[in-house]
Amino acid sequence: MIQSDTVRNTINFVLFQVGWFICVLYPGLSAAGFVVLLVAFHLAFISRHRLAELQFIGAGAVLGGLLDGIWFQTGILDDGTGSVELTPVWLVGIWAIFMTTLSHSLSWISSRAWLPFVCAPVAGPFAYWSASKLGAVELPDLTLSLLALAAGWLVVFPALLYLRKVLYPELAR
């Protein structure tokens, strides 16, 4: 395991960015497989509490995947085919790699109680909008989609941080 918090957080941030771009630029099963490798690297070299963090990553990937599934089913998101029945595996992969940041490179966001409520409704929709500009997803009605994404992130992001604090307190340090 890497000892320096700064180095671990920097690598964590870079791994997330690489994982996000791979998933968005090459959406599919192979991108999700690449994310599995990134998460394995994260657990081996960055995580200090591997089992707890793996459980947290899994919980967040499931919750995020369910939320994205709702957005696909309600027309907030589209993959261009209009026939998504389950959340695409590469999007679940993005949730998994994103979850690694909550105890590392994005842990600072928990430093102020109000910060997640300000950052999430902006940063979350921005990620989907960026993915839409790169062709990975579509936002059929831009305004409605961004507002729905903002509302969803306003709820899910603080909820994930709360889940980490309550169920996995060793990750919140």
Side-chain angles (χ1 to χ4, degrees), residues 76-99:
I76 299 303
L77 293 177
D78 195 292
D79 72 341
T81 68
S83 65
V84 171
E85 293 185 23
L86 295 173
T87 303
V89 68
W90 62 270
L91 260 174
V92 176
I94 289 177
W95 277 100
I97 198 73
F98 170 70
M99 292 302 294

Side-chain angles (χ1 to χ4, degrees), residues 16 19-20 22-24 26-29 31-33 35 60-72 77-79 84 86-99 124 127-128 131-132 136-139 149 153:
F16 169 69
W20 187 90
I22 292 295
C23 286
V24 168
Y26 307 101
L29 191 55
V35 166
V62 168
L63 291 173
L66 289 172
L67 183 59
D68 281 347
I70 291 168
W71 286 331
F72 275 105
L77 293 177
D78 195 292
D79 72 341
V84 171
L86 295 173
T87 303
V89 68
W90 62 270
L91 260 174
V92 176
I94 289 177
W95 277 100
I97 198 73
F98 170 70
M99 292 302 294
Y128 289 87
S132 76
V137 294
E138 295 178 6
L139 305 175
L149 291 165
W153 273 82

Side-chain angles (χ1 to χ4, degrees), residues 48-59:
R48 285 183 268 172
H49 306 282
R50 290 179 180 103
L51 182 57
E53 192 160 7
L54 180 60
Q55 291 171 356
F56 181 59
I57 291 167

Side-chain angles (χ1 to χ4, degrees), residues 88-168:
V89 68
W90 62 270
L91 260 174
V92 176
I94 289 177
W95 277 100
I97 198 73
F98 170 70
M99 292 302 294
T100 70
T101 67
L102 297 186
S103 298
H104 299 281
S105 59
L106 288 182
S107 64
W108 59 269
I109 209 158
S110 298
S111 65
R112 302 279 186 270
W114 54 268
L115 206 47
F117 296 98
V118 173
C119 294
V122 175
F126 180 74
Y128 289 87
W129 176 82
S130 299
S132 76
K133 293 300 179 187
L134 293 171
V137 294
E138 295 178 6
L139 305 175
D141 179 334
L142 183 63
T143 302
L144 178 62
S145 292
L146 291 175
L147 288 173
L149 291 165
W153 273 82
L154 182 64
V155 172
V156 78
F157 188 70
L160 290 171
L161 294 175
Y162 181 77
L163 179 76
R164 183 192 68 186
K165 178 181 171 185
V166 171
L167 296 181
Y168 308 102

